[in-house]
Amino acid sequence: MSTAGQVIRCKAAVAWESGKPLSIEEVEVAPPQKNEVRIKILFTSLCHTDVYFWDAKGQNPLFPRILGHEAGGIVESVGEGVTDLKPGDHVLPIFTGECKECAHCLSEESNMCDLLRINTDRGEMIHDGKSRFSINGKPIYHFLGTSTFSEYTVVHVGQVAKINPEAPLDKVCVLSCGMSTGFGATVNVAKPKKGQSVAIFGLGAVGLAAAEGARVSGASRIIGVDLNPSRFEQAKKFGVTEFVNPKAHDKPVQEVIVEMTGGGVDRSVECTGSIQAMISAFECVHDGWGVAVLVGVPNKDDAFKTHPVNLLNERTLKGTFFGNYKPRTDIPAVVEKYMNQELELDKFITHSVPFSEINKAFELMLAGEGLRCVIRMDA
């Protein structure tokens, strides 16, 4: 493209300080350097992780910053050393990466790349420790290596999944984080067999994606566990067949589920980050074969305990990161599942706003309304 090698001036939503509305600014986006790609973002959506770091509670605040990490776009130009992407390719930038060279990337069992694993504190590019964003010569920090709340962004090539150009970017953009995390936790890690029972703890967007994974896997019973009873009606669209509110019972919810199922569920997926939910998810699976998978991110000082006999009785406890998907290798195939109508995404997208109204997306999430709000960058 004619802009290759040049600084691009475009609009971006800048977070200047913690908890304050984002400000639409004209930023300068430098050309991609070695192993980097500059992407024209067409659609981005808001994930709870963006809100968490915008609010800057419980971690190191880094401002001014361009947030955003669920998105779809088109490659504008590539830097030195990039051979598997070219201008015009349709891509999803991903908050974690796949260098294809480290021990994790070379392992069939792991997706936790040594070089490009999620780093919430880093605000610059790996290549030279500098930002590609600036306003009047002053750097604006990156977020998760993606910073998709900008009309153009620069991303390490290892964090870019090349996808089918026929796939609608306004839909598949949600696969770059939350939907893949939940869906993959079920189909890649819990792996329920057809006809088995699954309990999902937390019926937010990630939990409903986990329920979708259980539905696609042919689970016979999908029990949703949430403190908000109003979520059950929506959860039915994702295959949830029964609902349990822990607050409605005078005994631990794991005991309730064990009674409901005659011994426990075959699989459980925890998507809240609550220590109590993690314990419940593990202790509600059936002895002998039950598998519990932890997805939610706890507070840094959290710890939980369960009696070792729960493990000795042949229950399995697993953790997962990004649904065990390798971003470059696996995400294109997840997009194909949507294209082949094996995976439904439209029901996750409950709102859409133009880029100029990006703060409305934050208001919707803070109010607990809807699942995903897609932001249209050209509007």
Side-chain angles (χ1 to χ4, degrees):
M1 294 187 181
S2 60
T3 47
Q6 300 177 24
V7 171
I8 289 178
R9 287 179 175 79
C10 69
K11 290 179 181 176
V14 179
W16 288 102
E17 54 184 305
S18 167
K20 295 294 174 65
L22 305 188
S23 176
I24 304 290
E25 308 277 359
E26 183 177 84
V27 299
E28 296 184 340
V29 185
Q33 302 301 306
K34 186 177 181 180
N35 292 328
E36 295 174 1
V37 181
R38 188 160 61 184
I39 302 168
K40 178 180 174 65
I41 299 295
L42 297 182
F43 299 95
T44 185
S45 62
L46 181 65
C47 170
H48 189 267
T49 303
D50 298 306
V51 176
Y52 184 77
F53 283 89
W54 163 78
D55 208 24
K57 290 177 181 171
Q59 10 76 28
N60 300 321
L62 189 61
F63 298 99
R65 204 170 200 182
I66 297 173
L67 299 167
H69 65 283
E70 272 192 4
I74 297 175
V75 173
E76 174 270 339
S77 60
V78 302
E80 176 192 343
V82 177
T83 56
D84 54 351
L85 289 170
K86 64 184 185 304
D89 283 344
H90 286 223
V91 294
L92 302 181
I94 311 283
F95 67 92
T96 185
E98 181 186 355
C99 72
K100 296 193 174 185
E101 296 176 357
C102 71
H104 283 276
C105 287
L106 295 175
S107 164
E108 291 183 3
E109 298 181 45
S110 174
N111 66 338
M112 301 189 72
C113 175
D114 287 333
L115 179 68
L116 299 169
R117 187 181 306 187
I118 184 173
N119 184 331
T120 58
D121 293 332
R122 186 170 57 231
E124 301 89 10
M125 299 301 289
I126 290 176
H127 172 62
D128 57 5
K130 295 179 180 178
S131 174
R132 302 291 174 257
F133 298 110
S134 61
I135 295 178
N136 298 325
K138 294 183 179 180
I140 307 294
Y141 292 114
H142 293 250
F143 178 62
L144 300 184
T146 51
S147 291
T148 60
F149 293 166
S150 175
E151 292 176 323
Y152 286 86
T153 189
V154 177
V155 181
H156 191 285
V157 65
Q159 290 183 242
V160 182
K162 180 181 175 181
I163 64 166
N164 184 343
E166 300 297 317
L169 290 171
D170 61 330
K171 301 292 193 298
V172 299
C173 64
V174 298
L175 287 172
S176 55
C177 178
M179 304 313 98
S180 295
T181 296
F183 188 79
T186 303
V187 300
N188 295 336
V189 187
K191 297 180 180 176
K193 298 181 176 71
K194 188 171 183 178
Q196 287 191 321
S197 57
V198 181
I200 308 292
F201 286 75
L203 298 178
V206 175
L208 291 176
E212 179 77 358
R215 183 189 70 79
V216 168
S217 299
S220 60
R221 296 176 74 178
I222 303 174
I223 302 168
V225 183
D226 201 289
L227 297 172
N228 183 353
S230 68
R231 286 182 161 176
F232 181 42
E233 201 57 41
Q234 184 177 49
K236 291 177 183 177
K237 300 178 190 172
F238 300 83
V240 174
T241 57
E242 297 155 80
F243 178 77
V244 178
N245 180 352
K247 291 191 294 188
H249 300 272
D250 56 6
K251 56 186 170 185
V253 71
Q254 55 266 43
E255 293 181 19
V256 175
I257 293 171
V258 167
E259 286 181 13
M260 285 172 63
T261 55
V265 288
D266 302 299
R267 304 287 187 265
S268 71
V269 185
E270 186 284 321
C271 302
T272 71
S274 155
I275 292 301
Q276 189 54 56
M278 293 178 182
I279 296 169
S280 299
F282 177 51
E283 294 183 356
C284 81
V285 298
H286 207 292
D287 58 4
W289 62 79
V291 178
V293 178
L294 305 186
V295 180
V297 180
N299 292 325
K300 65 179 192 298
D301 297 325
D302 280 343
F304 72 83
K305 65 179 182 178
T306 186
H307 200 285
V309 79
N310 288 320
L311 288 157
L312 296 172
N313 285 343
E314 299 180 4
R315 295 178 182 86
T316 300
L317 179 64
K318 291 185 172 186
T320 180
F321 170 69
F322 191 50
N324 214 36
Y325 287 119
K326 293 178 185 283
R328 299 161 82 182
T329 300
D330 298 334
I331 293 303
V334 183
V335 170
E336 290 308 308
K337 282 185 180 294
Y338 170 73
M339 297 297 285
N340 296 334
Q341 300 182 330
E342 298 170 43
L343 168 63
E344 298 175 14
L345 291 179
D346 301 48
K347 59 193 177 187
F348 287 99
I349 300 164
T350 52
H351 297 85
S352 176
V353 297
F355 188 37
S356 59
E357 296 178 22
I358 188 170
N359 287 301
K360 187 175 180 183
F362 278 74
E363 292 167 10
L364 289 165
M365 181 160 283
L366 289 168
E369 295 181 27
L371 296 174
R372 279 294 186 265
C373 179
V374 170
I375 297 150
R376 309 184 300 277
M377 301 300 288
D378 61 351

